[in-house]
Amino acid sequence: MTAVLQQEQIEVPADPYDFYELSLEEQWGDGVPLIPPTDDYVQALIASTPYAADHVVAILPPKQLVATVELIAINAAMAGVEPDALPLVIAALEALSAPEWNALGLTTTTSSVFPMLIVDGPARDRFHIDYKASCMGGAAGRGSMTIGRAVALCLRNIGGQRAGDTTRSVFGQPARFGFCIGEWEERSPWPSLATRAGFSTDQDVVTVHGGKGTFPLADINNDDATDLLFLIAKSLAYPLSNLYLGGGENGEIVVAINPIWADRFKVPFPDVEDLQVFLQANAWQPLSSWPEANQEVFRKKGRVGKDDRMYLVERPDQIIPMVCGGLGSLHAIALPSFGESHIQSVAAQYAPR
Amino acid sequence: MSENRILVRKPTAAPSTEPAAPTFTVDGGINGKRVGFRTDSAWRSWSLIADIWNGYLQRDGATTDSYETHGMIGDTGATDREQIDKLAETVDFAIVGLGTCGSCTSFTIADSVAFEDHEKPVIAVVTEEFATHGHNVANHLGHGDLKVLVLPYPLEALPKEELLQIADDFYPKALELLGVTQ
């Protein structure tokens, strides 16, 4: 069925280069060429959802403006999203609109934080969402490159997020172009993020993490899995982490583990909860790592633990392991948190077939 | 339409056309008034300035009631918003700060809006670098006429003597913006 479109229809150059120049002039884009959102493309995107074009998905900050399915589809078209993948973009926007994700804070902060999308389910292969080698940049799967970009364009064109104006991010980060990866569920010894959040394995689920960047970890010296995990935990607790700015009870840090290391870690930690307990228990630094002025602030905030230990987070569930990446081993990537944001997962809803 | 032109849909959302919510002024003296202060555990400079203003208000016959926020989400954030709402119910007017980062400016404005929602005079205190952002957020939250007091930037890492001077210099401006007459 053809959707009734209500957004203003405008005449633009058919020539791709001229359309690109117009998009820069109108500030519709992210500096990279866009696909023209023609009615045929927008209609195809909307047809993949169970919703009417005027269905309101979210109110997007910073400007608190209404994101309808139609507007989201227009921006997804510009990003080059495969028509049947629009439900993943919608799920991501629903997730980041949950109050506990704190979109008002995260879209206006001086921090580099941005929605980082992690997909579980059959959609990973169907839409070419990268979860193997170079999944965080370079693998060039269409789903990875366009779905995250569509979310970024929605925040820009619907929410009104503009660098230096409505968003005060001091540095930004590459993920502000869009960040979307999959979890290598089949190589994970632990339940996926989606199943840990209560979804089934046949659902396509988008988990949205407010991530400050990609924080690389590497090792070639440890044969003992527990020793290596100990070092990962210590590395997460770097003194200037955002998670040391607040009270320690909010925010999560995602730890992306390569499949080879995951195979090693499952031996001492077959249960993910036990792994999280171990990581949390060792993710601390001695109070003496900070100058006296910082120590005073920590004491005032009640952050100092037993034996003057400064734990990165209060609870084990705030450190979130997941498996992805290539088979070259040697590396893990942490996705540090803004702190005042809780990760959210939403299942994609497709049009009935 | 010429053949080198095509039709597309505009990708931007239409701006809100809702009128700004009303603002309120004290329109009188402060003797006998109950004044609410919102501080933020993140900003030591603002705690110091608010402490000085607290003393001046008490000197001038007001009683003061302060609440320090600690979070934006979770149990901490929920408690903060609940306490701000309670403060808004019980005080005659309020001073809310500090906006000196992106997200904390957004929450300074959002907490100020809670006072206007209770029809109480309020000023949001932000630093110069975040003044435009503060006005923008107020506008986006439908309170475009919210009174915003702008302090110098940066405040953090200034020597204590300079902060005390800023507190003295800006106290009369805070009262003026609130509509205090005495």
Side-chain angles (χ1 to χ4, degrees), chain A:
Chain A
M1 198 174 81
T2 306
V4 178
L5 304 182
Q6 294 179 335
Q7 272 296 110
E8 185 186 343
Q9 204 167 28
I10 49 177
E11 207 179 289
V12 299
D15 178 77
Y17 188 80
D18 291 344
F19 178 71
Y20 175 40
E21 290 211 317
L22 176 73
S23 75
L24 294 173
E25 195 179 303
E26 295 288 338
Q27 297 188 351
W28 292 337
D30 43 24
V32 175
L34 302 163
I35 306 284
T38 59
D39 276 12
D40 283 351
Y41 192 179
V42 172
Q43 289 282 5
L45 283 153
I46 294 171
S48 71
T49 80
Y51 308 117
D54 61 355
H55 173 76
V56 175
V57 172
I59 306 296
L60 291 184
K63 290 193 172 178
Q64 309 295 337
L65 297 179
V66 177
T68 60
V69 168
E70 178 184 349
L71 256 174
I72 295 166
I74 293 166
N75 281 280
M78 294 203 307
V81 171
E82 191 174 334
D84 285 351
L86 186 65
L88 296 168
V89 178
I90 290 174
L93 292 168
E94 287 174 338
L96 68 84
S97 300
E100 287 294 282
W101 198 82
N102 187 17
L104 175 65
L106 270 61
T107 56
T108 58
T109 176
T110 48
S111 164
S112 57
V113 65
F114 204 69
M116 291 182 161
L117 281 46
I118 304 165
V119 178
D120 282 308
R124 291 166 303 149
D125 290 322
R126 184 179 173 204
F127 299 122
H128 303 100
I129 295 165
D130 300 317
Y131 58 90
K132 297 179 181 174
S134 294
C135 59
M136 294 191 191
R142 179 176 178 178
S144 276
M145 297 310 294
T146 60
I147 292 167
R149 187 188 186 199
V151 170
L153 288 178
C154 286
L155 287 171
R156 176 182 294 272
N157 288 323
I158 306 173
Q161 192 177 34
R162 291 282 195 283
D165 178 11
T166 51
T167 172
R168 299 309 314 272
S169 183
V170 174
F171 290 106
Q173 60 159 313
R176 286 193 170 219
F177 178 81
F179 181 101
C180 177
I181 61 169
E183 185 174 13
W184 198 342
E185 298 169 53
E186 298 78 4
R187 287 299 304 260
S188 176
W190 309 294
S192 69
L193 293 180
T195 52
R196 274 138 70 186
F199 297 96
S200 63
T201 51
D202 60 351
Q203 284 180 291
D204 291 328
V205 176
V206 183
T207 296
V208 182
H209 170 58
K212 287 195 67 181
T214 51
F215 184 81
L217 311 166
D219 182 72
I220 55 172
N221 297 321
N222 269 286
D223 295 329
D224 185 281
T226 306
D227 284 350
L228 181 51
L229 278 165
F230 172 83
L231 285 172
I232 289 174
K234 285 290 173 216
S235 303
L236 301 181
Y238 57 96
L240 292 181
S241 165
N242 263 51
L243 291 170
Y244 281 124
L245 297 181
E249 71 277 32
N250 290 331
E252 297 89 4
I253 185 161
V254 173
V255 187
I257 297 168
N258 74 68
I260 306 299
W261 280 8
D263 286 343
R264 292 172 60 192
F265 297 159
K266 78 178 175 189
V267 177
F269 296 103
D271 293 325
V272 73
E273 290 84 3
D274 293 337
L275 174 61
Q276 290 174 295
V277 166
F278 179 84
L279 290 170
Q280 189 271 340
N282 290 289
W284 60 269
Q285 298 292 344
L287 183 63
S288 58
S289 297
W290 285 266
E292 182 54 43
N294 297 67
Q295 294 183 23
E296 192 184 323
V297 172
F298 287 142
R299 286 195 192 94
K300 191 181 164 207
K301 288 183 176 177
R303 277 298 306 260
V304 183
K306 193 182 165 200
D307 299 328
D308 277 354
R309 290 179 179 185
M310 289 294 303
Y311 287 94
L312 180 68
V313 289
E314 198 173 86
R315 303 180 312 278
D317 65 7
Q318 291 174 272
I319 300 181
I320 301 181
M322 63 165 287
V323 175
C324 62
L327 298 176
S329 189
L330 311 182
H331 304 273
I333 297 274
L335 306 175
S337 169
F338 173 70
E340 294 297 310
S341 175
H342 279 314
I343 202 163
Q344 302 290 324
S345 300
V346 169
Q349 304 296 326
Y350 296 97
R353 287 170 190 270

